Amino acid sequence: MVAKSKNILNFQNGAGRILLISTSLMLVLIGCAVFFSFYLETGSSSYREVLFLGLAMVIALSSQWFLLKTIQTPQILSPEERVHATNEKLRHILNSITRQVESALGIKNTAVGNIEHPADILAATLIQCVATMSEQVKTLLSALQMGSNETLEEARQSFIPLIDKTAEAITQYLNISQNIDSQLRERINETQQLLLNLRSELANVTQRQAQQKESSDLSMSIRQMCSIIETHLQIDNSVDTQLQVVAHDTNESAMMLITLMRDLSDEARELVSYISSSMSNIRSMEGGVDDNVAFIVRIGRFIQEIPIKIQADIQSVQGASGVIDGLGYLVDSIKEISFQTDILAVNAAIQAAHAGEAGLGFKIVADEVRKLAVNSNKAAEMIEAGLETARHTIQHGLKFKFLDEIMVQMDEAAHVSEAVKKLEESHEDMRQYYKTLFTVINRNNTKLANDISEILGSIQYQDVVRQRIERIQVAMQRRNELLQQFAMELENSKGNIVDDFAEQMNIVLNNYIEEESHHNNSLNPNAAEDQPPKFELF
Amino acid sequence: MAKTILLVDDSVTMLMSVKNNLEIAGFKVETAEDGVKAMAKLTAGLKPDLIITDINMPNMGGIEFIKKARALPGFRFMPILTLTTESQQGKRDEGKAAGATGWLVKPVGGADLVKIIKQVLPGA
C-alpha cells in the first residue's frame, strides 16, 4: 500500500512540474504579448502574440486539466486476489508516465549532451528559448525604463527570431505534447480504470477485512461469552451443589439437635421425677423424723430428769439404809427377846422338873418355847446377816464417786438436751434446704423445658432456610436454562439473537422477587411491618 | 387424657421438632408427610383433636387437604391450623376459604405454639 501511494505521489509530482512549467510559459508569453501590443505597437507581430497566447493557454489549460484529472482521479482498489498484480501493473504504468513526462519536459537526470528523445531536445530548446526570452524581456524592460528606442529596436529585432524559434519549438512541443497527452490520456484512463478497480477491490477487501475482523472479533466475543456463560453455569452448579449440601447439613444438624433436645428434655424430666419422688419420700420420712425427734426430745428430758431421780433414789436408798439400821435394832431386840425367852424356857423346864409329873406338860411347853427362842435367835441372826448384806450393798454402791458421777451425768444430760435441740434445728434447716432445692430445681427445670421448647421451635428456621434455598434453586435453574439456550443460540446464529432473552430473564427475576415477597424477610423491617401478623385466627 | 394432634408437613425437621415440642407439652402427636398421607390416616379412622398442616407440600398441598378434610364426616368443626412460610394475605384468604381455623407463619416458638393450641383447644 505504501509503495502504491508513493507511485501516485510521484505521478502527481510530475503533473505538478507540468503545471509549473506551463504556467511559467504562459506568463512569459502573456508578458511578451502585452509588451508588443502596448509598447511596441507593431501590427506585423500581432499574430505571433496571439500564437504565443494561444499556445500558452493551451499548454496551461491542458496541464491544469491533466493535473486536475490526476488529482481528482479517485483511488479505486482492485479485488483482493488481483491487488498485487494490478498494483504492479499500475506502478509500471506510472513509472512509464513519469519517465515520459520527465523526458518531455527535459528534467530527467540526463546530461544535455546525452538527450536522445525529440521531446527532450524540444524541451531543452524551449527552456533555452524561455530563458533567452526572459533575458530579452529583462533587457527590453530595462531599455524601456531608460527610454532608449534604439535599444528597444535592437532588442525587438533579436527577439523576433527567437520568438519564431520558440514558436516552432512550441509547435513541435505541442505536437509531442499532444502525442504524449493522448498517450497520457490513454494511460491515465487505463490507470484511472485500474485505480477505480483497485479502489473498488481494495474497498471490498477493506470492507471484507473489516467485516472479517468484526466477524472475527464478534466470533471471539461470542466464544468468550459462551465460555463465560459455561463457566457461569459451572459456578452455579457448584453453588447449587453447595446449597444442597447446606440444606442437607442443616437438616442433619437440626435432626441431631431435635434428638439431643428430646433426650435432654427426657433426662430433665427424669431428674425432676426422681427429685419429686425424693421429695415425696422426704415428706413421708419427715413424719418419722419428727417422731424420732420427739422421742429424742423425750429421751433428753428423761436424761435430764435422771440425775434428780438418782438423787431421789440415793436419798431413798439412804433412807433404806436408815431403815436397815433401824431393823438392826429390831434384830437385836428379837435376839434379846429370844435370849430371855430361852432363859425363861430353861427356868420353866427347871420349874417343871420340880413340879414332877404335874409339870410334865409344862416341861413340854417349856421345851417348845426354848426351841422357839432358839429359832427366833437363828431368824434374828439371819435377818441381821441379810440386813448387813443389804447395808453393805447400799454403802458399797454409794461409795463409787457416786456424787461426782451424778454431777457429770447432770452436765452430760444438759449437753444432750442442747444436742437434741441442735439436732432439731438441723433437721429443720435440712428440711428447708431440700424444700428450697426442690423449688429451684423445679423452677430451673420449667425454664429448661421452656428453653428446649423454644429451641425446638427455632429449629423450624431450618425448614424456612431450606424453602428459601429451594426457591433460589428454582430461579437459578430457570436462569441457567435460559443462559444455556442463549449461549446455544448465540453460537449457532453468530450473534443474531432472535428471542428476547433479556425480557425472559427479567421474567425469571420478577417471578423470583414476587415468590420471595410472599414470605417473611427478617432483614427487611419495613416489609415486616407491611406483612400480616405471624399468627391469625379466622 | 392427652389430646391428639395430626401434624402434616413435608419437612422431616419440622415434623420432628414440632412433634417433640408438642409431646413435651403433653400432647399425643400423629404425623404425615403430605396431604395424601394425612387423608389416608383420617379415612383410616384417625380422629385427632386438632390438625396442623403445612401449605406447600408435594402430592397434595395444604389448601386442598383442608378442603378434603372438611368434607369428611365429623371434621366440619375440627380446628385446623396452618403452619407455613407463606405470609401473603392472598394465601391466607385461600386458607380461610378452604376452612382453616388459623394461620401460623413459620417459625413459631415452642411456647407460643402451645399457647395458640390451647387457645383453639380449650381444656388441653
Side-chain angles (χ1 to χ4, degrees), chain A residues 113-130:
Chain A
N114 293 331
I115 292 172
E116 293 175 356
H117 197 280
D120 291 342
I121 297 165
L122 276 173
T125 307
L126 267 174
I127 290 167
Q128 193 177 355
C129 288
V130 169

Side-chain angles (χ1 to χ4, degrees), chain A residues 251 262 453 460 463 533 536, chain B residues 13 21 23 92 103 106 108:
Chain A
N251 186 53
R262 186 58 196 258
S453 181
Q460 293 173 24
D463 187 48
E536 185 181 5
Chain B
T13 311
N21 196 14
E23 281 180 349
R92 287 177 193 240
W103 193 272
K106 293 176 187 175
V108 179

Side-chain angles (χ1 to χ4, degrees), chain B residues 6 8-10 32-42 53-55 57-62 64-66 68-69:
Chain B
L6 173 61
V8 190
D9 202 306
D10 60 324
E33 286 81 12
D34 56 41
V36 174
K37 289 179 181 171
M39 279 304 294
K41 285 200 170 186
L42 294 182
T53 178
D54 189 14
I55 291 297
M57 291 182 292
N59 303 323
M60 187 191 291
E64 190 183 350
F65 166 63
I66 294 171
K68 286 186 183 293

